Amino acid sequence: KQEVTQIPAALSVPEGENLVLNCSFTDSAIYNLQWFRQDPGKGLTSLLLIQSSQREQTSGRLNASLDKSSGRSTLYIAASQPGDSATYLCAVKNQAGTALIFGKGTTLSVSS
Amino acid sequence: NAGVTQTPKFRILKIGQSMTLQCTQDMNHNYMYWYRQDPGMGLKLIYYSVGAGITDKGEVPNGYNVSRSTTEDFPLRLELAAPSQTSVYFCASRSGGAGYEQFFGPGTRLTVL
């Protein structure tokens, strides 16, 4: 059974720092991996989608990498801003299934 | 495009009451999903649909029912509400194929007292 783990559960950094959020998964047979952002009391906003054949995706200050063989993905946020404060969720889509399997998320707080 | 919309945004139910959570998408997506999110936990799949008239159970289907009569709508029905169903419910959709990203609605926050 696929399990997705995100470490750390919470992270606090000062504004301007570069940071890395980690996501690991137990079954490397995935179709894709998706990173989401969730603001308190809000829905999920898709940030980046990495297909299983890709190594990384970039959008603005965000860069997500994927290493299927080791079952790991990282989300790199450059020059963090207070507006980046949110919970970041990682989710994988298995080859055998049609739905996403989520980690519990990392709650990021960026102080000014 | 409005994307994925959900109603209501908030609801308080008494134990044993019934209600339907509405979900509509205007992107002509075949695949639709219902998830629940409990505090400090990741999202768990309740039911999903791969097209009109086709639905299937996810990881936590007990206490819920769904139907999919049109491509746009995917309502979730709670028949006899229980405190364990207090949660935030998210509807999502995606287009066909294995690699396409999912789009989520804003959620319905349900409390059962």
Side-chain angles (χ1 to χ4, degrees):
Chain A
K1 178 183 174 184
Q2 178 75 271
E3 293 183 358
V4 180
T5 302
Q6 291 186 247
I7 295 173
L11 180 64
S12 294
V13 301
E15 182 177 6
E17 273 204 7
N18 303 324
L19 60 100
V20 173
L21 306 181
N22 296 294
C23 172
S24 61
F25 45 95
T26 56
D27 185 349
S28 62
I30 64 171
Y31 272 140
N32 60 40
L33 183 145
Q34 200 166 349
W35 282 94
F36 293 89
R37 169 186 172 135
Q38 185 176 29
D39 293 292
K42 304 292 185 181
L44 280 68
T45 301
S46 179
L47 297 174
L48 290 164
L49 172 69
I50 310 178
Q51 305 293 351
S52 61
S53 58
Q54 297 174 322
R55 296 283 293 181
E56 65 178 337
Q57 282 285 341
T58 298
S59 176
R61 295 182 293 107
L62 305 180
N63 176 277
S65 68
L66 174 63
D67 184 344
K68 277 182 55 178
S69 61
S70 66
R72 294 180 185 275
S73 175
T74 61
L75 179 66
Y76 175 83
I77 302 176
S80 58
Q81 303 170 358
D84 294 330
S85 298
T87 296
Y88 292 81
L89 295 164
C90 166
V92 301
K93 184 181 185 307
N94 272 1
Q95 288 183 350
T98 184
L100 291 173
I101 299 169
F102 282 82
K104 295 181 180 180
T106 294
T107 299
L108 173 66
S109 176
V110 182
S111 56
S112 56
Chain B
N1 285 350
V4 181
T5 58
Q6 293 182 237
T7 57
K9 292 185 179 180
F10 304 94
R11 184 73 184 268
I12 298 175
L13 283 182
K14 294 182 179 180
I15 295 172
Q17 287 185 321
S18 301
M19 77 164 294
T20 299
L21 283 67
Q22 302 292 344
C23 175
T24 300
Q25 53 90 12
D26 62 0
M27 298 173 281
N28 201 34
H29 285 170
N30 288 328
Y31 293 78
M32 295 188 74
Y33 308 86
W34 275 105
Y35 295 89
R36 61 177 286 173
Q37 184 180 35
D38 299 316
M41 306 294 289
L43 280 72
K44 294 188 182 297
L45 182 67
I46 305 172
Y47 271 94
Y48 67 96
S49 170
V50 300
I54 306 171
T55 63
D56 207 348
K57 296 177 180 178
E59 185 180 0
V60 289
N62 291 345
Y64 307 95
N65 279 300
V66 294
S67 60
R68 183 95 182 270
S69 58
T70 66
T71 299
E72 296 78 19
D73 300 306
F74 190 40
L76 177 71
R77 178 83 177 161
L78 283 70
E79 291 294 348
L80 292 170
S84 61
Q85 294 177 305
T86 294
S87 189
V88 181
Y89 293 84
F90 290 101
C91 179
S93 73
R94 70 169 177 90
S95 60
Y100 297 148
E101 65 182 300
Q102 286 193 19
F103 297 89
F104 281 75
T108 293
R109 188 174 297 272
L110 176 66
T111 301
V112 181
L113 301 174

